[in-house]
Amino acid sequence: MLAISILAAGKGTRMKSTLPKVLQPLLETPLIEWVLNSCKELKVDRFLIVVGHKQEEVKKQLSWNNKLEFITQNPQNGTGHAVQTLVPSLGEYDGDLLVLNGDVPLLKPQTISHLVEEHQKRKSNVTIITSRVSHPKGYGRVFAQEDGLVDEIIEDKDCTKDQLKNNLVNAGIYCFNWKKLKKVLPLLNSDNNQQELYLTDAIKMIGNAMHIEVKDEKQIRGINNRIQLAECEKIIQNELKETYMNQGVTFIAPDSCTVSNKCKFGSDVIIEPETHLRGECVIGNDSIIGPGCYIKDSKIGDNVKIIYSVINESTISNSVEIGPFANIRPMTYIEDKCKVGNFVEIKKSIIQSKSKINHLSYIGDANIGKAVNIGAGTITANYDGKQKHQTLIGNNSKTGANSVLVAPINIGENVTIGAGSTLTKNVPNNSLAIGRAKQFIKNNWIT
Ligand code: UD1
Ligand code: MG
């Protein structure tokens, strides 16, 4: 029998943030979701989350999961006190309790499962995860014997100079025999440098305490400040990029790029330097993204080249060239073999195949046909101050440089629009439309 409790009531003072610590994002996902995910292999009877500081925000984040029970800890008097608050709801529960600090995101599900298995196999009173780390500062130091029995954990702030030299640290993940733990919980006191009730003090009181040492120290990183948050982000980024590289993606300068864990790549994709992929991105075969791109929640086809550009919630088909300096905003669909050039902004539009928008344009709420040439500086004036309106342009039409198309407007097929035109009326197929003042010349103006 197994119950799980995640300690998530703390403020996270060292983060210096208005956001509760467990909601700080790591790879765009709050820390607490990482911790939940690390338990995903376990079969659980009860799942309790200890909340306190800004508890409504924490509950809201986890509201998708209806198996969670929230227990309020108020005030927050330390990790030992947090576990004491579980007593009324767990009561006579007769099983093991896995306690996880809410700020330890990188533990692998297999590591946690292994902890529970070993604990149950050895029938220990408590089993904890430890690791030998190169920078133990801030972590509780674990004093253990060679056979794995733990004598005690002493918090960093309470260690003597000699004790600080011990680099075996407490990960903040514990599997307790609940009945045994319940007996010692009332004995915790705050006679320490932080004047808090430490859960770690329960270890020496409970006896028959074992530890499992994790060799990969990266897994046990706790996050107390923004430096540790950045270190974890780097660890996870490196792991992800290595995974993608092993799948056959080239990163020219991986350290300068960031990726999400929801990217899908075709074969022989090249990610150039300073490129960032967020959310769900799909990149097709032989495409080259970057340098200098930001792509979010978008689908990019095969043989696409994008350079120094932003693509957001859009779909780009095969053999399209984009950039430099294009901004493709949500709900844009760019079909095969189109070209979008420099200083072009497109929003909520369909650009059908083989069309070109090469320079200095704004295209919004438009449906542009096949093989259309949008001249430099063409603007779809889609907003009348109250509402957005549509612009339609038929196949094979050409807009002259600096055209303003005042929507709603329907430009037919095979239309040519003279440079500098401002058009407010529909244009029929196969016609020439010019909407500008006639050129006037006064000879001998200067005599
Ligand atoms: C804790 C451990 C330390 C361990 C380290 C691993 C204690 C006393 N120390 O220190 O041995 O090496 O984690 O990362 O446990 N929380 C509550 N209520 C509270 C206080 C904290 O729910 O009253 C929660 C926090 O939200 C957090 C977790 O408990 O998720 C750990 O608290 P934190 O203050 O970060 O403990 P550390 O100083 O990191
Ligand atoms: Mg911590």
Side-chain angles (χ1 to χ4, degrees):
M1 290 238 287
L2 184 70
I4 297 183
S5 172
I6 299 180
L7 309 187
K11 180 173 177 205
T13 312
R14 291 163 279 182
M15 295 302 288
K16 305 221 163 59
S17 174
T18 54
L19 204 61
K21 179 165 65 175
V22 295
L23 295 188
Q24 292 289 339
L26 176 69
L27 206 84
E28 304 179 273
T29 303
L31 293 182
I32 185 113
E33 300 274 8
W34 285 85
V35 180
L36 270 183
N37 190 53
S38 69
C39 301
K40 70 176 179 196
E41 286 186 358
L42 298 171
K43 248 190 99 236
V44 216
D45 303 308
R46 311 252 323 249
F47 211 132
L48 306 126
I49 314 286
V50 180
V51 289
H53 177 72
K54 296 203 173 170
Q55 56 174 300
E56 291 314 320
E57 288 179 35
V58 179
K59 285 181 189 168
K60 194 166 160 220
Q61 174 63 41
L62 298 175
S63 59
W64 60 270
N65 189 331
N66 57 16
K67 294 204 177 76
L68 305 179
E69 300 168 54
F70 294 95
I71 311 292
T72 302
Q73 181 202 10
N74 224 342
Q76 293 91 43
N77 259 342
T79 49
H81 178 242
V83 175
Q84 283 178 347
T85 62
L86 299 174
V87 173
S89 43
L90 278 179
E92 296 310 309
Y93 172 73
D94 188 17
D96 292 314
L97 175 70
L98 176 68
V99 177
L100 302 109
N101 284 358
D103 61 349
V104 184
L106 299 185
L107 273 157
K108 305 246 183 281
Q110 306 88 282
T111 308
I112 308 268
S113 305
H114 179 63
L115 167 75
V116 175
E117 275 164 29
E118 284 298 302
H119 173 80
Q120 295 182 339
K121 205 164 76 192
R122 294 192 200 173
K123 299 196 168 38
S124 310
N125 291 346
V126 58
T127 312
I128 67 170
I129 291 181
T130 60
S131 189
R132 291 207 177 272
V133 302
S134 36
H135 301 289
K137 197 173 165 12
Y139 291 95
R141 305 300 203 280
V142 178
F143 295 86
Q145 295 168 26
E146 275 188 4
D147 58 3
L149 265 178
V150 177
D151 296 323
E152 60 179 332
I153 302 176
I154 305 180
E155 288 305 298
D156 184 87
K157 287 190 174 142
D158 301 294
C159 279
T160 63
K161 254 189 171 170
D162 258 2
Q163 289 168 334
L164 283 175
K165 288 183 192 146
N166 179 4
N167 71 345
L168 185 70
V169 303
N170 169 29
I173 312 293
Y174 322 74
C175 192
F176 287 101
N177 174 314
W178 169 247
K179 284 201 156 158
K180 296 268 160 58
L181 175 62
K182 205 173 66 169
K183 275 199 191 123
V184 301
L185 280 177
L187 309 177
L188 298 176
N189 65 62
S190 55
D191 185 14
N192 54 52
N193 277 332
Q194 301 185 79
Q195 296 182 337
E196 285 183 351
L197 300 180
Y198 292 162
L199 180 59
T200 45
D201 283 347
I203 306 300
K204 64 171 180 277
M205 297 173 177
I206 202 169
N208 186 17
M210 297 295 292
H211 76 107
I212 291 179
E213 190 182 321
V214 174
K215 293 286 170 232
D216 171 19
E217 68 160 278
K218 293 197 291 294
Q219 276 196 52
I220 67 117
R221 294 286 178 103
I223 296 181
N224 297 313
N225 57 41
R226 309 254 185 184
I227 296 164
Q228 291 168 329
L229 183 66
E231 283 168 358
C232 282
E233 183 80 32
K234 198 168 174 191
I235 290 170
I236 201 91
Q237 282 291 335
N238 286 344
E239 278 180 12
L240 273 174
K241 282 177 278 186
E242 278 176 19
T243 306
Y244 294 142
M245 285 189 263
N246 284 330
Q247 288 169 4
V249 180
T250 292
F251 283 84
I252 303 291
D255 285 347
S256 72
C257 296
T258 57
V259 292
S260 87
N261 54 355
K262 296 187 206 95
C263 296
K264 289 206 174 81
F265 296 95
S267 68
D268 296 297
V269 169
I270 298 178
I271 305 294
E272 295 270 4
E274 306 287 351
T275 291
H276 306 281
L277 306 176
R278 299 284 155 83
E280 288 185 36
C281 290
V282 179
I283 318 271
N285 301 333
D286 302 306
S287 288
I288 305 177
I289 314 294
C293 288
Y294 175 91
I295 316 249
K296 182 167 185 286
D297 292 315
S298 293
K299 190 166 181 289
I300 315 285
D302 298 342
N303 278 308
V304 171
K305 290 191 176 67
I306 307 176
I307 177 167
Y308 288 110
S309 293
V310 174
I311 318 276
N312 200 351
E313 293 174 39
S314 290
T315 301
I316 315 294
S317 296
N318 302 329
S319 305
V320 171
E321 286 179 36
I322 295 180
F325 316 119
N327 182 14
I328 311 298
R329 293 170 50 201
M331 297 177 75
T332 294
Y333 298 84
I334 301 181
E335 295 183 352
D336 290 358
K337 295 185 183 161
C338 285
K339 269 193 79 182
V340 174
N342 32 208
F343 307 107
V344 171
E345 174 181 354
I346 308 180
K347 184 218 87 169
K348 203 178 179 184
S349 294
I350 298 171
I351 317 296
Q352 296 180 36
S353 57
K354 293 188 184 165
S355 287
K356 291 183 179 149
I357 313 173
N358 273 338
H359 333 264
L360 301 155
S361 274
Y362 171 65
I363 303 295
D365 304 295
N367 186 336
I368 293 180
K370 294 187 179 35
V372 168
N373 191 74
I374 300 289
T378 297
I379 303 290
T380 55
N382 58 337
Y383 187 49
D384 62 10
K386 285 194 183 111
Q387 272 182 308
K388 300 281 170 66
H389 300 281
Q390 279 256 316
T391 299
L392 305 178
I393 303 182
N395 298 339
N396 302 309
S397 289
K398 299 178 184 63
T399 70
N402 248 18
S403 309
V404 178
L405 311 176
V406 181
I409 191 165
N410 186 349
I411 312 285
E413 296 187 354
N414 290 309
V415 164
T416 302
I417 296 173
S421 294
T422 297
L423 301 185
T424 54
K425 295 191 192 110
N426 293 346
V427 180
N429 295 344
N430 308 315
S431 55
L432 167 69
I434 302 180
R436 65 180 182 228
K438 271 197 177 151
Q439 184 166 328
F440 172 84
I441 295 189
K442 185 163 171 68
N443 287 321
N444 305 318
W445 176 246
I446 307 284
T447 52

